[in-house]
Amino acid sequence: MEIDRYIVWPGQALAYKIGELKYKELRAYATRELGEKFDIRQFHDQVLGSGALPMDILDKRIKDWVANKKQQGGAP
């Protein structure tokens, strides 16, 4: 089923994979920057909270969130 979809609609497969890689990159960044203060639930809230976003806006949103958490000392 998925193979058929990817053959007919290769752009969907590419978009899915690019999104997956960006998500993993942002999660690794947030984990590295926040260390023990990283909370996967709060990260997911940031990623999913505004619905579908262009990747550059999501990137800025996560980097702003990490900077804010670091300024606050990691408080929620």
Side-chain angles (χ1 to χ4, degrees):
M1 187 68 126
E2 291 174 358
I3 293 172
D4 292 339
R5 183 176 68 230
Y6 293 155
I7 289 170
V8 174
W9 195 13
Q12 191 271 339
L14 179 62
Y16 176 88
K17 192 64 175 178
I18 289 172
E20 176 190 13
L21 293 173
K22 186 62 171 180
Y23 173 84
K24 287 179 177 180
E25 172 192 321
L26 291 172
R27 181 175 172 175
Y29 168 78
T31 301
R32 183 177 59 251
E33 291 295 313
L34 296 175
E36 291 184 13
K37 296 174 183 162
F38 176 75
D39 182 336
I40 191 68
R41 294 167 297 183
Q42 292 177 4
F43 175 76
H44 284 166
D45 287 346
Q46 293 301 312
V47 170
L48 302 172
S50 294
L53 296 173
M55 289 296 153
D56 59 334
I57 294 174
L58 178 62
D59 186 86
K60 182 174 179 350
R61 179 180 173 92
I62 295 300
K63 289 183 177 170
D64 289 348
W65 173 71
V66 167
N68 188 30
K69 293 277 289 175
K70 288 171 88 173
Q71 277 184 340
Q72 294 176 354

Coordinates of all heavy atoms in Angstrom, one line a residue:
M1 N 0.8 -1.2 0.0 CA 0.0 0.0 0.0 C 0.9 1.3 0.0 O 0.7 2.1 -0.8 CB -0.9 0.0 1.2 CG -1.9 1.0 1.2 SD -3.1 0.8 -0.1 CE -4.6 0.9 0.7
E2 N 1.8 1.4 0.9 CA 2.7 2.5 1.0 C 3.6 2.6 -0.3 O 3.8 3.7 -0.8 CB 3.6 2.5 2.2 CG 2.8 2.7 3.5 CD 3.6 2.6 4.8 OE1 4.8 2.3 4.7 OE2 3.1 2.8 5.8
I3 N 4.1 1.5 -0.7 CA 4.9 1.5 -1.9 C 4.1 2.0 -3.1 O 4.6 2.8 -3.9 CB 5.5 0.1 -2.2 CG1 6.5 -0.3 -1.1 CG2 6.2 0.0 -3.5 CD1 7.0 -1.7 -1.1
D4 N 2.9 1.6 -3.2 CA 2.1 2.1 -4.3 C 1.9 3.6 -4.2 O 1.9 4.3 -5.2 CB 0.7 1.4 -4.3 CG 0.8 -0.1 -4.7 OD1 1.8 -0.5 -5.3 OD2 -0.2 -0.8 -4.3
R5 N 1.6 4.1 -3.0 CA 1.4 5.5 -2.9 C 2.7 6.3 -3.2 O 2.6 7.3 -3.9 CB 1.0 5.8 -1.4 CG 0.7 7.3 -1.2 CD 0.2 7.5 0.2 NE 1.3 7.3 1.2 CZ 1.1 6.6 2.3 NH1 0.0 6.0 2.6 NH2 2.1 6.4 3.2
Y6 N 3.8 5.8 -2.8 CA 5.1 6.4 -3.1 C 5.4 6.4 -4.6 O 6.0 7.4 -5.1 CB 6.2 5.9 -2.3 CG 6.1 6.1 -0.8 CD1 6.7 5.2 0.1 CD2 5.4 7.1 -0.3 CE1 6.6 5.4 1.5 CE2 5.3 7.3 1.1 CZ 5.9 6.5 2.0 OH 5.8 6.7 3.3
I7 N 5.1 5.4 -5.3 CA 5.3 5.3 -6.7 C 4.4 6.3 -7.4 O 4.9 7.0 -8.3 CB 5.0 3.9 -7.2 CG1 6.1 2.9 -6.7 CG2 4.9 3.8 -8.8 CD1 5.8 1.4 -7.0
V8 N 3.2 6.4 -7.0 CA 2.3 7.4 -7.6 C 2.5 8.8 -7.2 O 2.3 9.7 -8.0 CB 0.8 6.9 -7.3 CG1 -0.2 7.9 -7.9 CG2 0.5 5.6 -7.9
W9 N 3.0 9.0 -6.0 CA 3.1 10.3 -5.4 C 4.4 10.4 -4.7 O 4.5 10.5 -3.4 CB 1.9 10.5 -4.4 CG 1.6 11.9 -4.0 CD1 2.1 13.1 -4.5 CD2 0.8 12.3 -2.9 NE1 1.6 14.1 -3.9 CE2 0.8 13.7 -2.9 CE3 0.0 11.6 -2.0 CZ2 0.1 14.4 -1.9 CZ3 -0.7 12.3 -1.1 CH2 -0.7 13.7 -1.0
P10 N 5.5 10.5 -5.4 CA 6.9 10.5 -4.8 C 7.1 11.8 -3.9 O 7.9 11.7 -2.9 CB 7.8 10.4 -5.9 CG 7.1 10.9 -7.1 CD 5.6 10.5 -6.9
G11 N 6.5 12.8 -4.2 CA 6.6 14.1 -3.4 C 6.2 13.9 -2.0 O 6.7 14.5 -1.1
Q12 N 5.1 13.1 -1.8 CA 4.6 12.8 -0.4 C 5.7 12.1 0.4 O 5.9 12.4 1.5 CB 3.3 12.0 -0.5 CG 2.6 11.9 0.8 CD 3.0 10.7 1.7 OE1 3.6 9.7 1.2 NE2 2.8 10.8 3.0
A13 N 6.4 11.1 -0.2 CA 7.4 10.4 0.4 C 8.6 11.3 0.8 O 9.1 11.2 1.9 CB 7.9 9.2 -0.4
L14 N 8.9 12.1 -0.1 CA 10.0 13.1 0.1 C 9.7 14.0 1.2 O 10.5 14.3 2.1 CB 10.3 13.8 -1.2 CG 11.5 14.9 -1.1 CD1 12.8 14.2 -0.7 CD2 11.6 15.6 -2.4
A15 N 8.5 14.6 1.2 CA 8.1 15.5 2.3 C 8.0 14.9 3.6 O 8.4 15.4 4.6 CB 6.7 16.1 1.9
Y16 N 7.5 13.6 3.7 CA 7.5 12.9 4.9 C 8.9 12.7 5.5 O 9.1 12.9 6.7 CB 6.8 11.5 4.7 CG 6.8 10.6 5.9 CD1 5.8 10.7 6.8 CD2 7.8 9.7 6.1 CE1 5.7 9.9 7.9 CE2 7.8 8.9 7.2 CZ 6.8 9.0 8.1 OH 6.8 8.2 9.2
K17 N 9.8 12.3 4.6 CA 11.2 12.0 5.1 C 11.9 13.3 5.5 O 12.6 13.3 6.5 CB 12.0 11.3 4.0 CG 13.3 10.8 4.5 CD 13.0 9.7 5.5 CE 14.3 9.0 6.0 NZ 14.1 8.0 7.0
I18 N 11.7 14.4 4.8 CA 12.3 15.7 5.2 C 11.8 16.1 6.5 O 12.5 16.6 7.4 CB 12.1 16.7 4.1 CG1 13.0 16.4 2.8 CG2 12.4 18.1 4.6 CD1 12.7 17.2 1.6
G19 N 10.5 16.0 6.7 CA 9.9 16.3 8.0 C 10.4 15.5 9.1 O 10.7 16.0 10.2
E20 N 10.6 14.2 8.9 CA 11.1 13.3 9.9 C 12.5 13.7 10.3 O 12.9 13.8 11.5 CB 11.1 11.9 9.4 CG 11.7 10.9 10.4 CD 11.9 9.5 9.8 OE1 11.8 9.3 8.6 OE2 12.2 8.6 10.6
L21 N 13.3 14.0 9.3 CA 14.7 14.3 9.6 C 14.8 15.7 10.3 O 15.7 15.8 11.2 CB 15.5 14.4 8.2 CG 15.7 13.1 7.5 CD1 16.4 13.3 6.2 CD2 16.5 12.1 8.4
K22 N 14.0 16.6 9.9 CA 14.0 17.9 10.6 C 13.6 17.8 12.1 O 14.1 18.4 13.0 CB 13.1 18.9 9.9 CG 13.2 20.3 10.4 CD 14.6 20.9 10.3 CE 14.7 22.3 10.6 NZ 16.0 22.8 10.4
Y23 N 12.5 17.0 12.3 CA 12.0 16.7 13.6 C 13.2 16.1 14.5 O 13.4 16.6 15.6 CB 10.8 15.8 13.6 CG 10.4 15.3 15.0 CD1 9.5 16.1 15.7 CD2 10.8 14.1 15.5 CE1 9.1 15.7 17.0 CE2 10.4 13.7 16.8 CZ 9.6 14.5 17.5 OH 9.2 14.1 18.8
K24 N 13.9 15.1 14.0 CA 15.0 14.5 14.7 C 16.1 15.5 15.0 O 16.7 15.5 16.0 CB 15.5 13.3 13.9 CG 14.5 12.1 14.0 CD 15.0 10.9 13.2 CE 14.1 9.7 13.3 NZ 14.5 8.6 12.6
E25 N 16.4 16.3 14.0 CA 17.4 17.3 14.2 C 17.1 18.3 15.3 O 17.9 18.6 16.1 CB 17.6 18.1 12.8 CG 18.5 19.3 12.9 CD 18.4 20.2 11.7 OE1 18.3 19.6 10.6 OE2 18.5 21.4 11.8
L26 N 15.8 18.8 15.3 CA 15.4 19.7 16.3 C 15.3 19.1 17.7 O 15.7 19.7 18.7 CB 14.0 20.3 15.9 CG 14.0 21.3 14.7 CD1 12.6 21.6 14.3 CD2 14.9 22.5 15.0
R27 N 14.9 17.8 17.7 CA 14.9 17.1 19.0 C 16.3 16.9 19.6 O 16.6 17.1 20.8 CB 14.2 15.8 18.9 CG 14.1 15.0 20.2 CD 13.3 13.7 20.1 NE 13.5 13.0 21.3 CZ 12.8 11.9 21.5 NH1 12.0 11.4 20.6 NH2 13.0 11.2 22.6
A28 N 17.2 16.6 18.7 CA 18.6 16.4 19.1 C 19.2 17.7 19.6 O 19.9 17.8 20.6 CB 19.5 15.8 18.0
Y29 N 18.9 18.8 18.9 CA 19.3 20.1 19.3 C 18.8 20.5 20.7 O 19.6 21.0 21.5 CB 18.9 21.2 18.2 CG 19.0 22.6 18.7 CD1 20.3 23.2 18.7 CD2 18.0 23.3 19.1 CE1 20.4 24.5 19.1 CE2 18.1 24.6 19.6 CZ 19.3 25.2 19.5 OH 19.5 26.5 20.0
A30 N 17.5 20.4 20.9 CA 16.9 20.7 22.1 C 17.5 19.9 23.3 O 17.8 20.4 24.4 CB 15.4 20.6 22.1
T31 N 17.6 18.6 23.0 CA 18.2 17.7 24.0 C 19.6 18.1 24.4 O 20.0 18.1 25.6 CB 18.2 16.2 23.5 OG1 16.8 15.9 23.2 CG2 18.7 15.2 24.5
R32 N 20.4 18.4 23.4 CA 21.8 18.8 23.6 C 21.9 20.1 24.4 O 22.6 20.2 25.3 CB 22.5 18.9 22.3 CG 24.0 19.2 22.4 CD 24.7 19.2 21.0 NE 24.0 20.2 20.1 CZ 23.3 19.9 19.0 NH1 23.1 18.6 18.7 NH2 22.8 20.8 18.2
E33 N 21.1 21.1 24.0 CA 21.1 22.4 24.6 C 20.6 22.4 26.0 O 21.1 23.1 26.9 CB 20.4 23.4 23.7 CG 21.1 23.7 22.4 CD 22.4 24.4 22.6 OE1 22.5 25.3 23.4 OE2 23.4 23.9 21.9
L34 N 19.5 21.7 26.3 CA 18.8 21.7 27.6 C 19.3 20.6 28.5 O 19.0 20.7 29.7 CB 17.3 21.6 27.4 CG 16.7 22.8 26.6 CD1 15.2 22.5 26.4 CD2 16.9 24.1 27.3
G35 N 19.9 19.6 28.0 CA 20.4 18.5 28.9 C 19.3 17.9 29.7 O 18.3 17.5 29.2
E36 N 19.5 17.8 31.0 CA 18.6 17.2 31.9 C 17.3 18.0 32.0 O 16.3 17.4 32.4 CB 19.2 17.0 33.3 CG 20.3 15.9 33.3 CD 20.8 15.7 34.7 OE1 20.1 16.1 35.7 OE2 21.8 15.1 34.9
K37 N 17.3 19.2 31.6 CA 16.1 20.0 31.7 C 15.2 19.8 30.5 O 14.1 20.4 30.4 CB 16.5 21.5 31.7 CG 17.2 21.8 33.0 CD 17.7 23.2 33.0 CE 18.6 23.5 34.3 NZ 19.4 24.6 34.1
F38 N 15.6 19.0 29.5 CA 14.8 18.7 28.3 C 13.6 17.8 28.8 O 13.8 16.8 29.4 CB 15.6 17.9 27.3 CG 14.8 17.5 26.1 CD1 14.4 18.4 25.1 CD2 14.4 16.2 25.9 CE1 13.7 18.0 24.0 CE2 13.7 15.8 24.9 CZ 13.3 16.7 23.9
D39 N 12.4 18.2 28.3 CA 11.2 17.5 28.6 C 10.5 17.2 27.3 O 10.1 18.1 26.6 CB 10.3 18.4 29.5 CG 9.0 17.7 29.9 OD1 8.5 16.8 29.2 OD2 8.4 18.1 31.0
I40 N 10.4 15.9 27.0 CA 9.9 15.5 25.7 C 8.4 16.0 25.5 O 8.0 16.4 24.4 CB 10.0 14.0 25.5 CG1 9.6 13.6 24.1 CG2 9.1 13.2 26.5 CD1 10.6 14.1 23.0
R41 N 7.7 16.1 26.6 CA 6.3 16.5 26.5 C 6.2 18.0 26.1 O 5.4 18.4 25.3 CB 5.5 16.3 27.8 CG 5.4 14.8 28.2 CD 5.0 14.6 29.6 NE 6.1 15.1 30.4 CZ 6.1 15.0 31.7 NH1 5.1 14.5 32.4 NH2 7.1 15.5 32.4
Q42 N 7.0 18.8 26.7 CA 7.1 20.2 26.4 C 7.6 20.4 24.9 O 7.1 21.3 24.2 CB 8.0 21.0 27.3 CG 7.4 21.1 28.7 CD 8.3 21.8 29.7 OE1 9.4 22.3 29.3 NE2 7.9 21.8 31.0
F43 N 8.5 19.6 24.5 CA 9.0 19.7 23.2 C 7.9 19.3 22.2 O 7.7 20.1 21.2 CB 10.2 18.7 23.0 CG 10.7 18.6 21.6 CD1 11.5 19.6 21.0 CD2 10.4 17.5 20.8 CE1 11.9 19.6 19.7 CE2 10.8 17.4 19.4 CZ 11.6 18.5 18.9
H44 N 7.2 18.3 22.5 CA 6.0 17.9 21.6 C 5.0 19.0 21.6 O 4.4 19.3 20.5 CB 5.4 16.6 22.0 CG 6.2 15.4 21.7 ND1 6.0 14.2 22.2 CD2 7.3 15.3 20.8 CE1 6.9 13.3 21.7 NE2 7.7 14.0 20.8
D45 N 4.7 19.7 22.7 CA 3.8 20.8 22.7 C 4.2 21.9 21.8 O 3.4 22.5 21.1 CB 3.6 21.3 24.2 CG 2.8 20.4 25.1 OD1 2.2 19.5 24.6 OD2 2.9 20.7 26.3
Q46 N 5.5 22.2 21.8 CA 6.1 23.2 20.9 C 5.9 22.8 19.4 O 5.6 23.6 18.6 CB 7.5 23.5 21.2 CG 7.7 24.1 22.6 CD 7.0 25.5 22.7 OE1 7.0 26.3 21.8 NE2 6.2 25.6 23.8
V47 N 6.2 21.5 19.1 CA 6.2 21.1 17.7 C 4.8 21.0 17.2 O 4.5 21.4 16.1 CB 6.9 19.7 17.6 CG1 6.7 19.1 16.2 CG2 8.4 19.8 17.9
L48 N 3.9 20.5 18.0 CA 2.5 20.3 17.6 C 1.5 21.4 17.9 O 0.4 21.4 17.3 CB 2.0 19.0 18.2 CG 2.8 17.7 17.9 CD1 2.3 16.5 18.7 CD2 2.8 17.4 16.4
G49 N 1.9 22.3 18.8 CA 1.0 23.3 19.3 C 0.4 24.2 18.3 O -0.7 24.7 18.4
S50 N 1.1 24.5 17.2 CA 0.6 25.5 16.2 C 0.2 24.8 14.9 O -0.1 25.4 13.9 CB 1.7 26.5 15.9 OG 2.0 27.3 17.0
G51 N 0.1 23.4 15.0 CA -0.3 22.7 13.8 C 0.8 22.6 12.8 O 2.0 22.8 13.1
A52 N 0.4 22.5 11.5 CA 1.4 22.3 10.5 C 2.1 23.7 10.2 O 1.4 24.7 10.1 CB 0.7 21.9 9.2
L53 N 3.4 23.7 10.2 CA 4.2 24.9 10.0 C 5.2 24.6 8.9 O 5.7 23.5 8.8 CB 4.9 25.3 11.3 CG 4.1 25.7 12.5 CD1 4.9 25.9 13.7 CD2 3.3 27.0 12.1
P54 N 5.6 25.7 8.2 CA 6.8 25.5 7.3 C 8.0 25.2 8.2 O 8.1 25.6 9.3 CB 6.9 26.9 6.7 CG 5.6 27.5 6.8 CD 5.0 27.0 8.0
M55 N 9.0 24.4 7.6 CA 10.1 24.0 8.4 C 10.9 25.1 9.0 O 11.4 25.1 10.1 CB 11.0 23.1 7.6 CG 10.4 21.8 7.3 SD 10.2 20.8 8.8 CE 8.9 19.8 8.3
D56 N 11.1 26.2 8.2 CA 11.9 27.4 8.8 C 11.2 28.0 10.0 O 11.9 28.4 10.9 CB 12.2 28.4 7.7 CG 11.0 29.0 7.0 OD1 9.9 28.3 7.0 OD2 11.1 30.1 6.5
I57 N 9.9 28.1 10.0 CA 9.2 28.6 11.1 C 9.3 27.7 12.3 O 9.5 28.1 13.4 CB 7.8 29.0 10.7 CG1 7.8 30.1 9.7 CG2 6.9 29.4 11.9 CD1 6.4 30.5 9.1
L58 N 9.1 26.4 12.1 CA 9.2 25.4 13.1 C 10.6 25.5 13.7 O 10.8 25.4 15.0 CB 8.9 24.0 12.6 CG 9.1 22.9 13.7 CD1 8.1 23.1 14.8 CD2 8.9 21.5 13.0
D59 N 11.7 25.6 12.9 CA 13.0 25.7 13.4 C 13.2 26.9 14.3 O 13.8 26.8 15.4 CB 14.0 25.8 12.2 CG 15.4 25.7 12.5 OD1 16.0 24.6 12.7 OD2 16.0 26.8 12.7
K60 N 12.7 28.0 13.9 CA 12.8 29.2 14.7 C 12.0 29.1 16.0 O 12.5 29.5 17.0 CB 12.3 30.5 13.9 CG 12.4 31.7 14.7 CD 12.0 32.9 13.9 CE 12.1 34.3 14.6 NZ 12.3 34.3 16.0
R61 N 10.8 28.5 15.9 CA 10.0 28.3 17.1 C 10.7 27.4 18.1 O 10.8 27.8 19.3 CB 8.7 27.6 16.7 CG 7.7 27.3 17.8 CD 6.5 26.7 17.3 NE 5.6 26.3 18.4 CZ 4.6 27.0 18.9 NH1 4.4 28.2 18.4 NH2 3.9 26.5 19.9
I62 N 11.4 26.3 17.7 CA 12.1 25.5 18.6 C 13.3 26.2 19.2 O 13.6 26.1 20.4 CB 12.4 24.1 18.0 CG1 11.1 23.3 17.6 CG2 13.3 23.3 18.9 CD1 10.2 23.0 18.8
K63 N 14.1 26.9 18.4 CA 15.3 27.5 18.8 C 14.9 28.7 19.8 O 15.6 28.9 20.8 CB 16.1 28.0 17.6 CG 16.7 26.8 17.0 CD 17.6 27.2 15.8 CE 18.2 25.9 15.3 NZ 18.9 26.1 14.1
D64 N 13.8 29.4 19.5 CA 13.4 30.4 20.5 C 12.9 29.8 21.8 O 13.2 30.3 22.9 CB 12.2 31.2 19.9 CG 12.6 32.1 18.7 OD1 13.9 32.3 18.6 OD2 11.7 32.6 18.0
W65 N 12.2 28.6 21.7 CA 11.8 27.9 22.9 C 13.0 27.5 23.8 O 13.0 27.7 25.0 CB 10.9 26.8 22.5 CG 10.5 25.9 23.7 CD1 9.6 26.1 24.7 CD2 11.0 24.5 23.9 NE1 9.6 25.1 25.5 CE2 10.4 24.1 25.1 CE3 11.9 23.7 23.3 CZ2 10.6 22.8 25.6 CZ3 12.2 22.5 23.8 CH2 11.5 22.0 25.0
V66 N 14.0 26.9 23.1 CA 15.2 26.5 23.8 C 15.9 27.7 24.5 O 16.3 27.6 25.6 CB 16.2 25.7 22.9 CG1 17.5 25.6 23.5 CG2 15.6 24.4 22.5
A67 N 16.0 28.8 23.7 CA 16.7 30.0 24.3 C 15.9 30.5 25.5 O 16.5 30.9 26.5 CB 16.8 31.0 23.2
N68 N 14.6 30.5 25.4 CA 13.7 31.0 26.5 C 13.9 30.0 27.7 O 14.0 30.5 28.9 CB 12.3 31.0 26.0 CG 11.4 31.7 27.1 OD1 11.8 32.5 27.8 ND2 10.1 31.2 27.1
K69 N 13.9 28.7 27.5 CA 14.1 27.8 28.6 C 15.4 28.0 29.3 O 15.5 27.9 30.5 CB 14.0 26.3 28.1 CG 12.6 25.9 27.6 CD 11.7 25.5 28.6 CE 12.1 24.2 29.2 NZ 11.3 23.8 30.3
K70 N 16.4 28.2 28.5 CA 17.8 28.4 29.1 C 17.8 29.7 29.9 O 18.4 29.7 30.9 CB 18.8 28.5 28.0 CG 19.1 27.1 27.4 CD 19.9 27.1 26.1 CE 21.4 27.1 26.5 NZ 22.3 27.0 25.3
Q71 N 17.1 30.8 29.4 CA 17.1 32.0 30.2 C 16.3 31.9 31.5 O 16.7 32.5 32.5 CB 16.4 33.1 29.4 CG 17.3 33.8 28.4 CD 16.5 34.9 27.7 OE1 15.3 35.0 27.6 NE2 17.3 35.8 27.1
Q72 N 15.3 31.0 31.5 CA 14.5 30.8 32.7 C 15.1 29.8 33.6 O 14.5 29.5 34.6 CB 13.1 30.3 32.3 CG 12.3 31.3 31.5 CD 10.9 30.7 31.1 OE1 10.7 29.5 31.3 NE2 10.1 31.5 30.5
G73 N 16.2 29.2 33.2 CA 16.8 28.2 34.0 C 16.1 26.9 33.9 O 16.2 26.0 34.7
G74 N 15.3 26.7 32.8 CA 14.7 25.4 32.5 C 13.3 25.3 33.1 O 12.7 24.2 33.0
A75 N 12.8 26.3 33.8 CA 11.5 26.2 34.4 C 10.4 26.1 33.3 O 10.6 26.7 32.3 CB 11.2 27.5 35.3
P76 N 9.4 25.4 33.6 CA 8.3 25.3 32.5 C 7.6 26.6 32.2 O 7.6 27.5 33.0 CB 7.3 24.3 33.2 CG 7.8 23.9 34.5 CD 9.1 24.6 34.7

